[in-house]
Amino acid sequence: MCRGLESLPITCLERAKELRALFGSLLQRSDHSITGQAKKSDKLRLHEVNEPLKWKESFDNLLSSQNGLCLFRAFLVSEFSEENIAFYLACEDYRTTKPSKLAAKAKKIYEEFICCDAPREVNLDYATREITKENMKRPNQSCFDQAQDKIHTLMEKDCYPRFLRSSVYLELTTKTKTG
């Protein structure tokens, strides 16, 4: 199933550590110039500082944030369920695949995440697994949609609430609010 931290790209692990330090250090800096006017770079900084608070608004806000996604993925590795986000992102990438490469890419995704005893098998019900298996006969951009929706819902209802209660996330939001 999950190969642990070594399966997470080193850049993502490094980015998660950087984010923790970044949000903490940004909150300690002054947000305005001496004249009281906000500088252009300060507006960016303010946006970055408030970013973790937006992740709590919705799961899709978290997924649409590069920083949030990276931190969430690192969290899932620590929870031994990184295959869920890996599958979700593979499906997102698959949708943009050129038609000539769909069959090969679909096969790779299916063998890595869907088929029985897949190395990174995701938790799908029998019906969804069978529909996806049937879709593999004629791969198109939407052949993984139902399976991806199931995994999205699973992460939203299970992993996302745990992430919001995690010490890393709570520490970031506490620093953001008290900054």
Side-chain angles (χ1 to χ4, degrees):
M1 240 187 179
C2 183
R3 297 182 299 226
L5 290 175
E6 68 271 3
S7 69
L8 190 64
I10 191 71
T11 55
C12 197
L13 286 174
E14 290 170 0
R15 186 71 180 138
K17 290 175 187 174
E18 289 171 7
L19 287 174
R20 192 173 191 176
L22 170 72
F23 287 118
S25 66
L26 284 176
L27 289 166
Q28 294 171 0
R29 293 182 190 156
S30 171
D31 288 327
H32 299 284
S33 66
I34 296 171
T35 63
Q37 304 260 334
K39 294 185 277 185
K40 187 176 183 179
S41 62
D42 288 336
K43 289 180 184 175
L44 174 63
R45 187 179 302 144
L46 286 170
H47 177 267
E48 290 174 350
V49 170
N50 290 322
E51 189 177 357
L53 297 176
K54 292 181 181 179
W55 303 340
K56 192 171 186 172
E57 293 172 7
S58 76
F59 183 52
D60 290 326
N61 280 357
L62 176 69
L63 293 180
S64 65
S65 161
Q66 185 178 9
N67 293 332
L69 180 60
C70 195
L71 202 59
F72 183 63
R73 190 169 186 177
F75 169 76
L76 290 178
V77 167
S78 74
E79 296 274 307
F80 303 102
S81 57
E82 188 264 343
E83 70 279 357
N84 293 323
I85 195 68
F87 172 70
Y88 178 85
L89 294 172
C91 292
E92 289 294 297
D93 179 62
Y94 178 77
R95 280 196 186 97
T96 63
T97 301
K98 294 177 184 177
S100 62
K101 298 186 178 191
L102 283 177
K105 202 168 206 177
K107 183 177 188 240
K108 182 180 177 190
I109 292 170
Y110 184 82
E111 289 175 352
E112 185 172 354
F113 298 104
I114 308 275
C115 72
C116 291
D117 298 322
R120 298 169 80 186
E121 186 175 354
V122 291
N123 187 9
L124 293 171
D125 59 87
Y126 177 79
T128 304
R129 195 176 300 277
E130 288 300 306
I131 289 168
T132 306
K133 184 177 180 180
E134 188 64 28
N135 290 344
M136 292 299 297
K137 293 177 182 174
R138 284 181 221 89
N140 60 45
Q141 263 95 4
S142 63
C143 69
F144 293 108
D145 284 0
Q146 190 171 357
Q148 184 186 24
D149 287 345
K150 295 279 184 177
I151 295 303
H152 180 278
T153 300
L154 175 71
M155 289 189 299
E156 185 174 36
K157 304 266 187 240
D158 183 43
C159 305
Y160 175 61
R162 285 198 322 269
F163 171 74
L164 294 177
R165 293 188 303 266
S166 72
S167 60
V168 171
Y169 179 75
L170 291 174
E171 185 178 322
L172 281 177
T173 56
T174 300
K175 286 181 179 180
T176 301
K177 290 176 187 174
T178 61

